Amino acid sequence: MISVSAMADDAADSNNARRRQWAKEMQQAKIEFMTKQLELTDEQKEKFVTVYTAMDNELGKLRYETDRLRHSIKGKKQVTDLEYEKAAEAMFEFKAKEADIELKYLPKFKEVLTPKQLFKFKGAEMKWMRQLMKHRKKK
């Protein structure tokens, strides 16, 4: 019984490590994509990576917490109305919190990007997402 539990823990650790590695690779690929789309100079890229990574990590934490709450409800047989309410509130508040985080980083992006690059920024993010979805459909 103990060895089965240990094997399950090892498998979970391995899955978590693979998931973290995949997330790191995706973040790097996204940064490279954004760099090309925005036509950043080498100097801009260095500063952009710092700001973008910080924002992306903060957004990732928000997504994780919201998803964790939502999934905790799905996995339960008995869910109280209060638990449903709290999960629903978190899901409704997600976009506002996401916008708050992005707006917090706007002044920092203004220090790095030209007005034209700043204008192209959100479009480049949407293009990245479309490419990911297109790639996912092929699999």
Side-chain angles (χ1 to χ4, degrees):
M1 185 80 136
I2 291 173
S3 68
V4 170
S5 177
M7 287 176 18
D9 287 345
D10 288 345
D13 288 344
S14 178
N15 283 338
N16 287 336
R18 277 195 301 267
R19 196 173 300 122
R20 279 191 303 274
Q21 181 62 32
W22 176 85
K24 186 178 180 180
E25 290 170 7
M26 288 300 292
Q27 188 177 51
Q28 189 61 39
K30 185 177 182 183
I31 287 170
E32 289 301 318
F33 179 85
M34 295 293 289
T35 298
K36 288 178 186 169
Q37 291 294 306
L38 299 176
E39 301 175 28
L40 300 180
T41 66
D42 289 339
E43 184 181 327
Q44 283 179 306
K45 182 180 177 182
E46 186 178 322
K47 293 173 184 173
F48 176 81
V49 167
T50 301
V51 175
Y52 193 75
T53 301
M55 183 183 78
D56 201 41
N57 288 341
E58 202 168 329
L59 290 168
K61 287 177 188 173
L62 174 64
R63 277 189 292 277
Y64 174 79
E65 290 300 320
T66 305
D67 286 346
R68 187 174 61 93
L69 187 55
R70 186 170 49 87
H71 288 297
S72 72
I73 298 289
K74 282 185 169 183
K76 284 183 153 183
K77 291 183 190 252
Q78 295 290 324
V79 181
T80 67
D81 284 346
L82 181 60
E83 289 172 317
Y84 276 129
E85 185 178 335
K86 292 298 179 191
E89 285 174 0
M91 292 175 353
F92 274 88
E93 292 170 351
F94 175 80
K95 290 284 188 190
K97 289 180 180 179
E98 183 180 52
D100 288 343
I101 292 168
E102 289 180 343
L103 286 171
K104 179 175 103 176
Y105 283 90
L106 178 59
K108 295 174 185 180
F109 284 119
K110 283 182 174 182
E111 293 175 7
V112 176
L113 303 174
T114 66
K116 183 179 179 180
Q117 290 168 327
L118 190 61
F119 176 78
K120 292 170 62 177
F121 180 86
K122 294 307 280 179
E125 282 192 319
M126 287 189 284
K127 189 173 183 180
W128 167 258
M129 288 305 296
R130 281 193 301 272
Q131 285 190 353
L132 281 182
M133 298 307 279
K134 192 178 198 181
H135 178 72
R136 187 174 179 185
K137 284 182 181 180
K138 287 181 182 179
K139 285 190 170 192

